[in-house]
Amino acid sequence: MNVSNQKKLELFTIEGHKLHLFRTGNAGKPKLIFMSGSGTASPMYDFKILYEKLLEDFRVIVIEKFGYGYSDLFAASCEIDSVIDMQRKALKVAGENGPYILVPHSLSGLEAIRWKQKYPDEVQAIIGLDMATPKTYLAWKSDEVDRRISIIRKMKKAKDKGLLFWLPVNKCGLTKEEIKEQKILWKKNAFNECYIKEAEVVLKNAEKVAAAGKINCPILMFVSNGKQVSPNWLEHEKDFAEQCNAKIINLNCGHYVHYFESDLISTEIRGFVNDCL
């Protein structure tokens, strides 16, 4: 790949393949670990509109799992404990140590919850960006999961045949060069097998997280208007917040809440961390 910022990339060998971590911000401050939702082609660029407003007050780390961003297209295990351990291993190899403040978007909400369940001392707090909860996926049942996997496979075939001419690329807060990189990464990553494998095990992962029970740590949840996600999304967000005593901030915007409300979110994050840590 012709990557313009190749010298800045930090690629770490995990399970024999390269995984990318993006690190920036104030090294002496609390660590925000940004975790992307399913199918986000380039988390490093996707979250920029938000994390660039937090650099003075936080150490920012964006994890790009296999199949995402500049990481290899390696179909590693998507069983949730394996996914978490892979991310922990990458951080350790990079010389990063907890505790962390996890900032999950969408699907990675499951990973953040499970991380706290398995390694409670490593997670100081969770800040959800319209994060999914176990109940979100348990409500789908297998028929809905199968339907979504079928759509991904059809889109993959169309992409492989060169039939997708419209690139759904985020441009929020990005330079022209970064938008160009986004397009390159979309062509590399869109609808790849890693995303399909994630979907295939999402119900089992949700069941495991649900069975482990509630978590106990400060939690702040930014919640969209629910129009771009599954039915009963808002109800499930509220239920989780009540179960775990989380603070909810409802936003009248789409699922990628950081695109629309980065000013408000960054301000609220500072206040939340100052108050609870």
Side-chain angles (χ1 to χ4, degrees):
M1 184 184 301
N2 180 21
V3 180
S4 63
N5 63 343
Q6 187 71 45
K7 292 182 179 179
K8 299 180 183 179
L9 297 183
E10 292 191 287
L11 299 169
F12 301 93
T13 300
I14 308 296
E15 298 185 24
H17 296 268
K18 298 296 184 182
L19 185 143
H20 177 233
L21 293 182
F22 174 72
R23 299 188 285 180
T24 187
N26 192 327
K29 296 293 185 176
K31 295 178 182 180
L32 299 178
I33 308 295
F34 283 81
M35 307 163 69
S36 77
S38 178
T40 300
S42 177
M44 168 182 166
Y45 296 122
D46 183 78
F47 289 122
K48 184 189 174 189
I49 186 66
L50 176 56
Y51 67 64
E52 68 178 356
K53 296 170 182 173
L54 296 165
L55 300 183
E56 291 185 7
D57 302 303
F58 297 95
R59 171 70 157 170
V60 169
I61 303 172
V62 182
I63 298 177
E64 295 194 322
K65 295 180 293 186
F66 292 121
Y68 289 77
Y70 292 106
S71 296
D72 286 351
L73 291 170
F74 169 56
S77 171
C78 290
E79 192 278 325
I80 194 160
D81 288 352
S82 296
V83 172
I84 293 165
D85 286 343
M86 176 268 295
Q87 296 180 77
R88 295 175 66 246
K89 186 181 295 183
L91 290 166
K92 184 176 180 179
V93 171
E96 298 290 348
N97 298 301
Y100 306 116
I101 300 169
L102 304 182
V103 188
H105 174 241
S106 196
L107 172 67
S108 62
L110 288 184
E111 297 166 17
I113 297 167
R114 185 60 178 160
W115 199 328
K116 180 63 179 179
Q117 289 172 341
K118 283 200 72 180
Y119 308 102
D121 293 341
E122 294 182 3
V123 180
Q124 287 183 301
I126 295 175
I127 299 172
L129 303 176
D130 216 26
M131 62 180 274
T133 70
K135 199 170 183 179
T136 305
Y137 297 109
L138 296 178
W140 284 10
K141 309 296 184 184
S142 59
D143 288 347
E144 176 63 15
V145 173
D146 291 344
R147 184 185 73 83
R148 291 178 182 242
I149 291 173
S150 177
I151 292 172
I152 297 173
R153 291 193 182 279
K154 289 177 181 177
M155 296 297 286
K156 183 179 186 301
K157 288 181 179 179
K159 177 204 167 195
D160 292 345
K161 292 179 180 179
L163 300 177
L164 293 183
F165 304 105
W166 177 71
L167 303 180
V169 175
N170 162 48
K171 298 180 181 180
C172 297
L174 302 181
T175 65
K176 289 182 179 180
E177 186 61 31
E178 288 168 340
I179 292 170
K180 181 180 178 181
E181 288 294 318
Q182 277 267 67
K183 292 179 179 179
I184 293 171
L185 291 170
W186 189 92
K187 291 177 180 178
K188 167 181 171 282
N189 295 328
F191 313 113
N192 71 67
E193 287 295 327
C194 299
Y195 302 166
I196 294 171
K197 285 190 68 176
E198 283 182 336
E200 288 175 340
V201 298
V202 70
L203 286 182
K204 289 184 179 180
N205 286 341
E207 288 168 359
K208 175 175 279 192
V209 175
K214 67 180 182 179
I215 55 176
N216 182 23
C217 69
I219 303 173
L220 173 62
M221 299 171 64
F222 297 98
V223 178
S224 74
N225 56 25
K227 295 179 180 179
Q228 294 181 338
V229 284
S230 55
N232 302 316
W233 181 272
L234 299 182
E235 176 188 337
H236 297 156
E237 297 289 284
K238 182 180 177 181
D239 288 349
F240 178 81
E242 290 177 351
Q243 179 189 41
C244 297
N245 196 31
K247 177 182 178 181
I248 277 188
I249 296 180
N250 290 292
L251 304 172
N252 187 23
C253 65
H255 182 46
Y256 282 73
V257 292
H258 43 292
Y259 292 0
F260 306 101
E261 296 286 359
S262 61
D263 286 338
L264 183 150
I265 292 172
S266 60
T267 298
E268 292 289 343
I269 286 175
R270 287 192 200 90
F272 170 75
V273 172
N274 286 336
D275 289 343
C276 70
L277 300 183

